[in-house]
């Protein structure tokens, strides 16, 4: 009886993890390891944050997804920094170039915004939504889930679309690919695959080691009262 009371006390203070919590953490680490193995060029710590943010959302009422896209803006645009994963099979579907906003930086993005007209990229967890045909062809709308960080994505028309300036040949000429008005634009050759892989309620996570965002993100720090639930 005394041992049982001691264990309950330790559980209540968080000094000992509950079996359910330990199991959930174990599954999360297994997923991170699987994704890292599938995409060795991706930084494991970035994949860890992407999975943690996604799991926090799902554990607090956001519908699970079949796929996860990760954009690592700590890498220059001259490198492949977009990964799309099949979460069911824990496989890499695509690894390619992706643009950042023209006011986020040159080859390296360092500035991010949630402001309409800023022409900067946004950080954080997104939920992809409906595909459509617009002025950039076959494109994909998405909603930002982080209040004050990316939740004006739809107002800003931040979408995934094809762009001729996402061209590796530009790298030799000017040291980077072209830049967008804040959209994660991709090469025309892969745009259809990207949109079809991500449409209708998948997760997208964009990363940069911004200290303020890392310290305040509702998803990275898992603050349930700030989690947004959207139906796919």
């Amino acid at each position: 009886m005394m041992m049982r009371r001691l264990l309950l006390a330790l559980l209540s203070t968080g000094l000992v993890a509950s079996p359910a919590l330990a199991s959930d953490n174990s599954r999360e680490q297994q997923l991170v390891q699987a994704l890292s193995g599938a995409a060795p060029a991706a930084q494991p710590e970035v994949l860890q944050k992407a999975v943690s943010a996604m799991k926090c959302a799902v554990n607090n009422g956001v519908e699970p997804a079949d796929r996860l896209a990760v954009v690592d803006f700590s890498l220059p645009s001259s490198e492949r920094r977009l990964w799309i994963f099949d979460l069911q099979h824990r496989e890499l579907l695509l690894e390619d170039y992706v643009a950042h906003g023209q006011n986020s930086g040159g080859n390296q993005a360092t500035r991010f915004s949630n402001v309409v007209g800023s022409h900067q990229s946004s950080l954080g967890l997104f939920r992809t939504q409906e595909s459509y045909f617009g002025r950039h062809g076959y494109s994909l709308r998405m909603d930002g889930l982080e209040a004050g960080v990316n939740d004006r994505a739809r107002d800003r028309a931040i979408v995934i679309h094809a762009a001729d300036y996402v061209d590796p040949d530009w790298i030799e000429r000017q040291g980077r690919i072209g830049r967008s008005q804040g959209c994660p634009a991709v090469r025309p050759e892969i745009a259809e695959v990207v949109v079809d892989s991500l449409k209708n309620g998948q997760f997208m996570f964009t990363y940069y080691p911004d200290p303020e965002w890392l310290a305040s993100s509702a998803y990275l720090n898992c603050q349930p009262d700030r989690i947004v639930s959207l139906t796919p």
Side-chain angles (χ1 to χ4, degrees), residues 20-185:
L21 180 60
S23 177
D24 188 61
N25 288 339
S26 177
R27 286 194 297 268
E28 180 178 318
Q29 290 308 310
Q30 289 173 5
L31 177 58
V32 172
Q33 291 173 6
L35 300 187
S36 294
Q43 299 184 76
E45 60 270 27
V46 175
L47 297 180
Q48 174 71 68
K49 286 179 170 56
V51 170
S52 295
M54 178 183 67
K55 288 295 185 182
C56 177
V58 171
N59 288 343
N60 287 282
V62 178
E63 287 291 320
D66 296 321
R67 286 169 289 283
L68 168 67
V70 178
V71 176
D72 184 356
F73 283 133
S74 72
L75 299 176
S77 70
S78 54
E79 295 185 21
R80 296 175 188 265
R81 54 182 181 173
L82 163 67
W83 295 269
I84 300 177
F85 298 98
D86 180 326
L87 296 172
Q88 301 300 315
H89 299 94
R90 301 187 174 190
E91 295 176 348
L92 177 66
L93 299 179
L94 182 141
E95 178 180 21
D96 216 278
Y97 299 95
V98 62
H100 59 251
Q102 62 192 39
N103 288 337
S104 282
N107 188 31
Q108 185 76 56
T110 57
R111 300 180 297 277
F112 304 90
S113 177
N114 193 37
V115 176
V116 175
S118 67
H119 292 180
Q120 293 183 15
S121 298
S122 295
L123 299 175
L125 189 66
F126 296 81
R127 187 80 172 187
T128 63
Q129 300 295 349
E130 72 276 14
S131 60
Y132 69 100
F133 286 90
R135 64 190 182 98
H136 296 292
Y138 191 42
S139 305
L140 179 63
R141 291 191 175 93
M142 55 189 185
D143 291 312
L145 301 183
E146 301 206 29
V149 177
N150 62 22
D151 61 335
R152 302 196 70 185
R154 190 171 285 261
D155 295 336
R156 297 179 61 205
I158 299 300
V159 301
I160 298 174
H161 65 79
D164 291 337
Y165 53 73
V166 185
D167 185 347
D169 289 342
W170 282 38
I171 298 171
E172 290 189 11
R173 297 198 302 267
Q174 59 185 37
R176 60 170 173 81
I177 61 172
R179 297 167 297 174
S180 69
Q181 294 186 346
C183 297

Side-chain angles (χ1 to χ4, degrees), residues 56 213-224:
C56 177
W213 171 64
L214 292 174
S216 63
S217 170
Y219 292 85
L220 292 179
N221 299 289
C222 207
Q223 299 168 331

